[in-house]
Amino acid sequence: AQSVTQLGSHVSVSEGALVLLRCNYSSSVPPYLFWYVQYPNQGLQLLLKYTTGATLVKGINGFEAEFKKSETSFHLTKPSAHMSDAAEYFCAVTGKLIFGQGTTLQVKP
Amino acid sequence: SAVISQKPSRDICQRGTSLTIQCQVDSQVTMMFWYRQQPGQSLTLIATANQGSEATYESGFVIDKFPISRPNLTFSTLTVSNMSPEDSSIYLCSARRQGGGQGEAFFGQGTRLTVV
């Protein structure tokens, strides 16, 4: 079975600061990993994904994530937060997309 | 990309009644899924909608409560039957073009259901 754990249900950063959203997974097979963003009252949008190959994955809006098999992690980062990044972020694993609990990112001016 | 349209976008229903949610994709897709997102929570997979055969349900979800149809490669419906206030939630349709789990999944805007 596959599962995802997102550490921190709520993360608050200042505008311009580093964003780090944590995701750990459990999978009995090589995982496919995804990060999605959900803005208020909207559907989900794919930020980035890891399937095979390069472990550092770059996505939209300046986000990137690194797959670390030894740590079973897929943390999402962005060097400099923008006010427009405030949203709910979900990590997901495998083909059926098992989602983590979500992390609300707040960006303070 | 794929554009997914869900109807209705929201509804308020009486307990004991049923609501059918429609999901239309603008192009053929291999896989379609239905999720539930309860207020302030994450997404929980209800079932995989299989074209031409019965849906595959996740643990805790049954066909009698959530019957699903998928008559072709672009359309699916989810019915929430005999509703109770606990069914109040956002229901999301998702689609993926390719199998194997690697491809991007696209999501509809969701149907916000309130049961009174």
Side-chain angles (χ1 to χ4, degrees):
Chain A
Q2 286 78 27
S3 66
V4 173
T5 301
Q6 290 183 239
L7 301 175
S9 59
H10 192 101
V11 171
S12 181
V13 301
S14 298
E15 190 173 21
L18 171 72
V19 175
L20 171 60
L21 305 182
R22 300 178 186 273
C23 172
N24 287 89
Y25 70 89
S26 173
S27 178
S28 56
V29 298
Y32 302 137
L33 294 159
F34 306 81
W35 274 100
Y36 282 82
V37 60
Q38 185 178 35
Y39 297 102
N41 300 314
Q42 294 190 29
L44 278 76
Q45 180 182 11
L46 180 69
L47 278 176
L48 49 80
K49 66 178 181 180
Y50 169 80
T51 53
T52 59
T55 57
L56 182 62
V57 181
K58 295 186 184 298
I60 62 171
N61 301 337
F63 284 94
E64 62 182 36
E66 186 171 11
F67 170 63
K68 292 187 177 181
K69 184 178 179 180
S70 61
E71 299 178 8
T72 61
S73 69
F74 190 57
H75 301 331
L76 182 71
T77 61
K78 182 174 181 178
S80 177
H82 191 273
M83 295 296 291
S84 61
D85 294 326
E88 188 81 11
Y89 291 80
F90 294 97
C91 183
V93 65
T94 77
K96 289 195 295 186
L97 285 182
I98 307 301
F99 284 85
Q101 304 91 319
T103 298
T104 302
L105 175 64
Q106 179 186 25
V107 182
K108 298 177 291 186
Chain B
S1 65
V3 176
I4 298 178
S5 301
Q6 276 186 241
K7 289 194 295 188
S9 58
R10 59 177 62 230
D11 207 341
I12 300 174
C13 300
Q14 297 290 324
R15 68 176 65 201
T17 63
S18 297
L19 176 72
T20 295
I21 303 168
Q22 298 181 1
C23 177
Q24 178 72 56
V25 188
D26 67 344
S27 56
Q28 292 186 352
V29 291
T30 302
M31 305 183 77
M32 294 183 74
F33 305 92
W34 287 97
Y35 288 85
R36 181 172 71 184
Q37 185 177 25
Q38 294 180 305
Q41 297 189 27
S42 186
L43 286 77
T44 301
L45 180 63
I46 298 172
T48 302
N50 300 308
Q51 194 263 327
S53 64
E54 193 171 284
T56 304
Y57 291 83
E58 297 299 308
S59 176
F61 297 97
V62 295
I63 187 171
D64 290 346
K65 177 66 175 177
F66 298 101
I68 288 171
S69 77
R70 190 180 172 193
N72 57 50
L73 293 177
T74 63
F75 186 77
S76 177
T77 66
L78 169 73
T79 299
V80 186
S81 302
N82 188 24
M83 288 184 285
S84 67
E86 291 71 35
D87 295 319
S88 297
S89 190
I90 298 173
Y91 292 85
L92 292 137
C93 174
S94 173
R96 179 178 285 125
R97 290 196 186 286
Q98 60 193 93
Q102 300 184 39
E104 176 179 356
F106 303 95
F107 287 83
Q109 297 284 71
T111 296
R112 186 179 296 271
L113 171 63
T114 301
V115 183
V116 297

